[in-house]
Amino acid sequence: MRIDKYLCDGLGISRKEATKLLKSGDVTVDDVMIKSGSVKVKEGQSVAWQERPIVLRGPRYLMMNKPEGVVCSHEDGFNHTVFVLIDEVRYEDLHFAGRLDVDTTGLLLITDDGQWSHRITSPKHKCDKTYRVWLADPVQDDYQHKIAEGILLRNEREPTLPAQMEVVGENEVLLTIHEGKYHQVKRMFAALGNKVVGLHRERIGNITLDADLELGEYRDLTEQEIQSIFNKTTG
Ligand code: URA
């Protein structure tokens, strides 16, 4: 790889900035000063800027405990985006493996690996997502059955896939769905004549929200969590 491209990828800077860094004489490859952007960096060589090593990272996989009030997008004219909470280079390469609404909290997976996120979001893979749901009105006896049968949402032709609901309290349930239609959970309870007043995602596939993460905090996924999506996403 050319040294200027290496600097762009490793430091999250533009080609113009990389050229400037090289001109400054602070960049070395195996302790030899390099000024030309066209020099090739070979496997095993060490690149440094002002004697600090620059290491290329592989794909990134993050889990955030999303707070209310931030949107899952790169730009929004009205609200802050999730990216105000993320301190990562090349953050513009990151995307969400399943968005959450602005008022929904909980598990948000963020990555720059499109194949990985596809296994979470593609309907073909039927990846489970579990939500804790707080309702305006008490849970009715027929909800469990109706949710297990599939519910026809407004403006849809096909009912939702069979889902599982566990009653946690008079107005609180845990709902596991296997697809991700637009505002799906809110629309499912609207179709049942109720209203979602609080929504928190707890699990995606075999990845559970880390209880140590405060709202707005994030961490890297473990290798096991990353691989769990490649190994099995269906429930
Ligand atoms: N379903 C919703 O209605 N909202 C979300 O944020 C996630 C699932």
Side-chain angles (χ1 to χ4, degrees), residues 99-105 131 177 181-187 196 199 201:
R99 291 164 197 267
L100 291 175
D101 296 337
V102 64
D103 54 352
T104 302
T105 58
Y131 294 87
I177 58 176
K181 293 187 199 296
Y182 183 64
H183 293 326
Q184 179 161 345
V185 177
K186 290 175 185 166
R187 289 165 73 207
V196 171
L199 189 56
R201 185 157 61 196

Side-chain angles (χ1 to χ4, degrees), residues 1-217:
M1 180 192 287
R2 284 171 58 116
I3 181 70
D4 51 3
K5 167 95 171 74
Y6 189 105
L7 294 173
C8 292
D9 290 356
L11 296 171
I13 58 175
S14 66
R15 187 66 70 108
K16 207 167 153 192
E17 287 165 326
T19 307
K20 232 170 150 184
L21 276 194
L22 287 160
K23 278 209 178 123
S24 72
D26 288 334
V27 177
T28 55
V29 175
D30 283 348
D31 297 325
V32 177
M33 186 205 296
I34 301 294
K35 289 196 162 195
S36 161
S38 63
V39 168
K40 291 268 168 35
V41 180
K42 297 190 197 77
E43 190 80 38
Q45 286 193 304
S46 56
V47 178
W49 172 66
Q50 292 187 339
E51 296 179 12
R52 275 171 270 180
I54 302 167
V55 180
L56 290 188
R57 289 190 58 163
R60 292 171 288 174
Y61 305 91
L62 310 171
M63 108 160 34
M64 174 184 278
N65 186 0
K66 179 193 170 293
E68 273 190 57
V70 287
V71 289
C72 294
S73 87
H74 274 280
E75 272 181 28
D76 189 275
F78 191 65
N79 294 287
H80 281 306
T81 76
V82 162
F83 291 102
V84 299
L85 303 167
I86 292 184
D87 184 19
E88 292 283 318
V89 295
R90 292 178 288 127
Y91 72 91
E92 54 286 345
D93 295 348
L94 296 168
H95 63 268
F96 306 101
R99 291 164 197 267
L100 291 175
D101 296 337
V102 64
D103 54 352
T104 302
T105 58
L107 179 60
L108 184 63
L109 297 177
I110 305 161
T111 183
D112 50 11
D113 181 345
Q115 274 188 353
W116 187 81
S117 58
H118 181 73
R119 296 187 74 99
I120 293 172
T121 54
S122 133
K124 193 178 102 199
H125 290 288
K126 298 192 177 69
C127 180
D128 305 355
K129 291 121 199 152
T130 300
Y131 294 87
R132 188 170 292 272
V133 189
W134 292 272
L135 296 165
D137 297 315
V139 182
Q140 301 297 304
D141 292 341
D142 59 353
Y143 283 8
Q144 220 150 16
H145 174 72
K146 286 184 171 162
I147 282 172
E149 291 276 291
I151 293 176
L152 190 61
L153 305 179
R154 229 176 128 206
N155 301 326
E156 300 278 344
R157 283 162 189 245
E158 300 287 329
T160 53
L161 291 176
Q164 292 70 48
M165 191 193 86
E166 183 191 327
V167 181
V168 180
E170 202 185 350
N171 292 58
E172 183 179 338
V173 299
L174 281 175
L175 177 72
T176 299
I177 58 176
H178 311 280
E179 57 197 328
K181 293 187 199 296
Y182 183 64
H183 293 326
Q184 179 161 345
V185 177
K186 290 175 185 166
R187 289 165 73 207
M188 283 171 79
F189 284 100
L192 291 169
N194 210 322
K195 184 173 167 29
V196 171
V197 292
L199 189 56
H200 181 79
R201 185 157 61 196
E202 298 196 340
R203 188 175 66 85
I204 294 176
N206 289 319
I207 303 177
T208 303
L209 179 63
D210 188 330
D212 288 339
L213 288 178
E214 301 285 342
L215 283 168
E217 288 184 341

